[in-house]
Amino acid sequence: MNSPLLEIKNLKVAYPVTNYGEDKKTWAVNDVSFNLDKGEIMALVGESGCGKSTLGRSVMRLLPHESTIEGSANFQGKDIFSFDSQAMRKFRGEAVALIFQDPMTRLDPLMTIGDHCIETLKAHQPQLSTKEAKQKALSTLETVKILPERFNQYPHEFSGGMRQRVAIALALLLEPKLIVADEPTTSLDVTIASEILAELTSFCRDREMALLLISHDLAMVGKYCDRIGVMYQGEMVETGKVDDVMYSPHHEYSKSLLDAAFHLHHTTASQPPEAKTTPLLQLKNLKQYYTLEANFIEQILGKKSQTIKAVDDLNLDIKQGEILGLVGESGCGKSTLSRTILQLIRATSGQVQFLDQDLTTLTEKEIRGLRKEIQMIFQDPHACLNPMMTIGESITEPLLIHQMGNKQENRERVEKMLNRVGLNPQEYYNRYPKELSGGQQQRVAIARALITNPKLVICDEPVSMLDATVQAQVLDLILELKAEFNLTYLFITHDLSVAKFLCDRIAVMNGGKIVELEETESIFKNPQHPYTKTLLASAFTLKMRS
């Protein structure tokens, strides 16, 4: 019988204690054991903070220096934790590669894509000439559909999906035997995510490379993985073949995780009431164009400036009290549209009619006064919360900006809002963002957005970074708050199951234009535009339970 490629035995990991109180270890990974064979694709799933990423990073020995590690991790029979620095440097990249959730944590904004590839190759294979390294780099980039003409471009010239393709190419360059992929498609739209996962898993199987996929997307896991490990509070509570765990789970946590996922995937939003006919927001012939100027060398070669039509002559109404979903691939203009509505960037031309005013004609001061009526919930709550401010201070800040009450009134208002989003003010008011889980941080971001009592809330991928159970909780909260505060939502998402669960109507965006706009049920049952059909065909879906 062949020995496993990776063998984890009784692994325990604790991070350095940062407080000066009781020196008590909290195990982020607690007594975990599992094996991974050549060519096998295994998923790790579980809620935020359960230890998935810690486990993946422990295999790469990328934990903080003073972390406590017990147990063993053997790769091809060799103890990873006994490697010296030179052996570890060779191990990383050549034997095991890591793909991060955010590709910009791997990419240097001052280096071209080609430089990234050549630097990686030369560091591990110094015998290669620059020409040979470039040829190998181009070949690997081609496998992830990056064209040769983009070799000398910089990361900021790529969309999120293209950056992740580059990150995958960098992981594949040295042909490692194991890839650890930590949420590699979380920030990508469904068509790009489907393509990338199909390419990555096919690449691994063809070359007998093992893949440890850390993910919260159970539908994706069901489609691409052989085995699944469910983690909860640092422990591996259940492992087995994907279908066995997903359709016949044994542990109570596995059952709750899967129940939440099936709830989202097999629930359709109710139809909007007939009364919802008055537009709250009207976009008329809206354009947002950017010009990419040719650099000096390109001008000499006769290359002209390029116009990017991020939002192209777009017309759209959002009715009072509805949830309008906006879906489309990375780079189609969704986020640019939201920022144009908010006048964070000024439109090239067209109108943004809100509360009978054209926002494009207002001064900065007038727009600032109106912003309390339009608020935004972002994809990454940690990035939009000031790490130096307490939770109470973060939620109070919009009230201070808009001069909306005295100190006592604001305190009471914030405490009431914290209670409303499910966070006890006595426990959370004086905490800092780093002390909260991802789901708790997003609840704070929702409270901050609603504290000014807005009429329109723009939600830009607000649950894409959350696991299934927390995702369901946050979406239910969004629905409850909509009814309670009479809110209207523009909900931007690449997750079609979330759009199906939440939205009254769905607008499909492609190439800066709305190519289809219908009620949710109609979009899913009878899509008309070819792009909508492609989008739905690419979606990860959970098969109905028998």
Side-chain angles (χ1 to χ4, degrees):
M1 184 176 177
N2 294 331
S3 59
L5 180 71
L6 177 69
E7 187 178 21
I8 304 292
K9 281 186 179 179
N10 307 114
L11 183 65
K12 299 176 78 172
V13 178
Y15 287 105
V17 178
T18 56
N19 64 332
Y20 296 97
E22 185 182 357
D23 188 10
K24 183 180 178 182
K25 287 188 178 68
T26 300
W27 296 109
V29 173
N30 191 5
D31 200 25
V32 169
S33 300
F34 70 94
N35 294 340
L36 192 60
D37 295 325
K38 280 197 307 181
E40 186 177 24
I41 297 172
M42 179 177 176
L44 289 180
V45 302
E47 65 188 14
S48 175
C50 71
K52 307 187 300 291
S53 295
T54 299
L55 180 55
R57 280 162 172 71
S58 66
V59 172
M60 303 283 291
R61 273 179 46 189
L62 291 174
L63 299 171
H65 181 64
E66 295 180 357
S67 300
T68 302
I69 302 176
E70 297 180 8
S72 64
N74 295 323
F75 185 82
Q76 292 186 317
K78 296 178 181 178
D79 181 9
I80 296 170
F81 300 144
S82 69
F83 289 171
D84 60 22
S85 57
Q86 186 175 354
M88 200 65 221
R89 186 170 180 270
K90 187 175 178 64
F91 174 72
R92 292 190 193 121
E94 294 181 35
V96 180
L98 178 62
I99 301 171
F100 293 96
Q101 178 176 345
D102 180 1
M104 284 308 290
T105 60
R106 173 68 177 86
L107 301 175
D108 186 333
L110 300 178
M111 291 174 63
T112 66
I113 300 308
D115 288 340
H116 278 93
C117 295
I118 290 173
E119 180 188 63
T120 300
L121 285 166
K122 287 291 192 74
H124 291 270
Q125 299 174 3
Q127 76 279 6
L128 289 178
S129 67
T130 301
K131 183 179 179 180
E132 289 170 330
K134 182 175 181 179
Q135 192 57 46
K136 186 167 186 178
L138 287 169
S139 176
T140 306
L141 287 168
E142 189 177 356
T143 65
V144 295
K145 297 188 171 131
I146 303 285
L147 299 175
E149 50 262 37
R150 308 206 69 169
F151 191 78
N152 292 317
Q153 290 186 309
Y154 291 86
H156 73 270
E157 298 178 272
F158 285 67
S159 69
M162 296 296 280
R163 288 176 193 157
Q164 194 60 291
R165 288 176 186 273
V166 172
I168 291 171
L170 290 171
L172 298 176
L173 268 175
L174 301 170
E175 299 181 18
K177 296 177 176 65
L178 168 65
I179 292 178
V180 178
D182 192 352
E183 302 278 11
T185 60
T186 293
S187 58
L188 306 180
D189 62 89
V190 64
T191 49
I192 303 297
S194 181
E195 287 176 12
I196 285 178
L197 258 296
E199 291 163 8
L200 181 58
T201 52
S202 174
F203 200 97
C204 287
R205 287 196 169 101
D206 289 347
R207 291 159 177 77
E208 287 197 314
M209 294 161 57
L211 175 64
L212 186 62
L213 178 65
I214 299 167
S215 179
H216 66 258
D217 190 331
L218 292 168
M220 181 181 75
V221 165
K223 184 172 182 179
Y224 289 108
C225 297
D226 305 315
R227 279 197 305 137
I228 185 171
V230 182
M231 292 193 68
Y232 179 63
Q233 294 185 349
E235 298 180 4
M236 187 86 77
V237 296
E238 189 163 356
T239 58
K241 292 182 178 179
V242 165
D243 281 353
D244 291 342
V245 173
M246 294 186 73
Y247 294 96
S248 301
H250 296 293
H251 194 274
E252 286 305 311
Y253 175 71
S254 303
K255 292 176 183 177
S256 67
L257 190 69
L258 288 156
D259 284 345
F262 279 101
H263 176 57
L264 287 180
H265 278 261
H266 298 290
T267 304
T268 304
S270 60
Q271 294 304 314
E274 291 299 318
K276 292 178 183 173
T277 55
T278 307
L280 176 68
L281 180 77
Q282 291 181 289
L283 309 179
K284 298 179 179 179
N285 305 115
L286 193 64
K287 295 181 180 179
Q288 187 59 261
Y289 291 179
Y290 297 100
T291 301
L292 294 181
E293 299 289 348
N295 62 35
F296 179 71
I297 299 297
E298 289 171 334
Q299 289 177 20
I300 291 175
L301 296 173
K303 188 174 181 180
K304 297 181 179 179
S305 299
Q306 184 181 0
T307 299
I308 305 295
K309 297 181 179 181
V311 177
D312 190 14
D313 201 23
L314 185 144
N315 293 278
L316 181 68
D317 289 356
I318 301 178
K319 300 172 186 176
Q320 177 75 44
E322 79 167 332
I323 304 178
L324 178 70
L326 185 63
V327 302
E329 65 186 15
S330 175
C332 73
K334 302 188 301 293
S335 294
T336 299
L337 178 61
S338 70
R339 284 158 175 76
T340 307
I341 292 170
L342 283 162
Q343 296 297 292
L344 296 174
I345 48 177
R346 291 290 195 167
T348 304
S349 65
Q351 296 179 358
V352 178
Q353 293 278 353
F354 178 74
L355 296 177
D356 298 322
Q357 296 185 80
D358 181 2
L359 303 189
T360 64
T361 65
L362 300 183
T363 65
E364 287 294 331
K365 186 177 180 180
E366 290 169 329
I367 289 169
R368 199 176 302 119
L370 255 180
R371 284 218 177 101
K372 66 177 182 291
E373 305 290 354
I374 310 177
Q375 287 291 305
M376 193 158 185
I377 302 170
F378 295 92
Q379 178 177 3
D380 183 357
H382 188 70
C384 74
L385 297 175
N386 188 331
M388 305 301 290
M389 294 173 70
T390 66
I391 299 309
E393 289 169 341
S394 286
I395 300 173
T396 304
E397 187 181 34
L399 296 173
L400 300 178
I401 291 170
H402 294 289
Q403 302 175 349
M404 292 181 67
N406 61 40
K407 187 174 181 180
Q408 182 60 35
E409 290 170 341
N410 288 345
R411 174 82 187 210
E412 291 173 0
R413 192 181 231 169
V414 171
E415 288 183 351
K416 185 178 178 181
M417 185 60 75
L418 276 170
N419 266 321
R420 190 59 199 83
V421 298
L423 299 174
N424 185 333
Q426 283 70 43
E427 185 178 354
Y428 290 97
Y429 193 95
N430 292 314
R431 286 194 182 188
Y432 289 88
K434 68 179 182 180
E435 300 176 278
L436 275 60
S437 70
Q440 290 169 338
Q441 288 176 2
Q442 195 59 287
R443 287 173 183 268
V444 173
I446 291 170
R448 178 181 162 89
L450 299 188
I451 198 68
T452 61
N453 197 24
K455 291 181 172 59
L456 173 66
V457 179
I458 299 175
C459 307
D460 193 353
E461 303 279 9
V463 295
S464 68
M465 299 177 73
L466 306 177
D467 63 88
T469 48
V470 179
Q471 196 175 82
Q473 291 167 11
V474 171
L475 290 174
D476 284 339
L477 175 64
I478 285 172
L479 284 173
E480 291 169 13
L481 294 172
K482 172 186 178 292
E484 184 172 335
F485 294 98
N486 191 28
L487 298 170
T488 302
Y489 290 120
L490 173 60
F491 198 92
I492 300 169
T493 183
H494 63 254
D495 189 330
L496 293 174
S497 64
V498 168
K500 185 179 180 184
F501 173 80
L502 193 74
C503 300
D504 301 316
R505 292 190 301 154
I506 292 177
V508 181
M509 194 169 182
N510 187 30
K513 296 177 180 290
I514 301 296
V515 296
E516 189 162 355
L517 173 62
E518 286 294 342
E519 292 180 354
T520 299
E521 189 172 359
S522 177
I523 286 282
F524 278 86
K525 286 186 175 179
N526 189 28
Q528 298 297 308
H529 195 275
Y531 176 71
T532 309
K533 293 176 182 177
T534 300
L535 206 60
L536 291 169
S538 302
F540 303 123
T541 55
L542 286 169
K543 294 181 292 183
M544 287 289 288
R545 284 167 164 165
S546 58

